[in-house]
Amino acid sequence: MHDDINLNIRETTPKEDSVIAEHFYLMWLDIGVVENYIKSNHRSLTLEFIKQARQKLFYKGFAAEVDDIIIGSASCQLFNGLYPLILEEEYRKYGYIWGVYVAPSHRKKGIAKQLTNATIEHLKSINCTKAILNASPAGKPVYENLGFLPNNAIQLNLI
């Protein structure tokens, strides 16, 4: 990280969920999703998702501030699963990190790394056994530098 900025990483409050929702939207645009493929009610969908995740999945949001202005954010929660969760938590209690976003003017300063570390610490505090995330091509080196490994997930495009 560059020493020339006054960076603060902190937990967000529910009043800042709209900032998380905006960053989540901007993240999708940044990775090349055309705007007309993003639902027009994306903000309300994200806010409702965060509300539910906060109640049921130990959700936490984190903000990166420079001079009291939020310039980045990241979210994490328990991974709810893609299929029935039949394994004991001691073996498989996964956390999921999502929506890591840093404003373009503040990138390449180690901020995404610090935001991700904050999410990792939260997931550790709730006894997760693994942290999962889906990385953009630009974010992949950040996560690999933190120790994330490629896994056996594979995909097939159907359209």
Side-chain angles (χ1 to χ4, degrees):
M1 188 182 100
H2 299 293
D3 294 326
D4 57 348
I5 63 171
N6 182 22
L7 180 67
N8 180 39
I9 304 290
R10 62 167 180 79
E11 286 185 27
T12 58
T13 67
K15 291 180 181 179
E16 295 166 319
D17 288 352
S18 60
V19 174
I20 299 279
E22 178 65 12
H23 285 177
F24 191 57
Y25 167 73
L26 293 172
M27 180 204 72
W28 286 108
L29 293 176
D30 274 359
I31 63 174
V33 174
V34 179
E35 193 168 6
N36 63 327
Y37 286 125
I38 299 173
K39 294 180 178 182
S40 61
N41 63 338
H42 61 85
R43 179 185 169 97
S44 62
L45 290 170
T46 305
L47 292 173
E48 183 59 29
F49 181 90
I50 292 170
K51 179 182 174 186
Q52 294 297 318
R54 186 176 279 114
Q55 292 172 357
K56 299 176 183 176
L57 300 173
F58 293 92
Y59 170 88
K60 288 272 187 201
F62 295 90
E65 289 181 322
V66 174
D67 299 324
D68 298 322
I69 298 170
I70 297 175
I71 53 87
S73 61
S75 294
C76 64
Q77 66 195 52
L78 287 179
F79 182 66
N80 204 23
L82 302 173
Y83 43 79
L85 299 176
I86 65 167
L87 301 175
E88 295 291 343
E89 286 187 355
E90 297 82 32
Y91 179 75
R92 180 178 266 180
K93 183 179 181 183
Y94 290 175
Y96 192 73
I97 300 168
W98 60 276
V100 179
Y101 177 82
V102 176
S105 61
H106 291 282
R107 292 180 184 162
K108 307 274 186 210
K109 298 178 182 178
I111 297 169
K113 180 178 179 178
Q114 290 187 55
L115 283 165
T116 303
N117 275 330
T119 64
I120 291 167
E121 289 307 311
H122 172 64
L123 296 175
K124 285 180 180 178
S125 78
I126 59 172
N127 300 313
C128 288
T129 59
K130 189 178 285 191
I132 302 169
L133 60 76
N134 289 311
S136 68
K140 192 174 178 192
V142 172
Y143 307 122
E144 287 175 346
N145 185 281
L146 288 169
F148 283 81
L149 302 170
N151 65 22
N152 64 344
I154 58 176
Q155 63 185 21
L156 172 66
N157 290 331
L158 299 176
I159 57 171

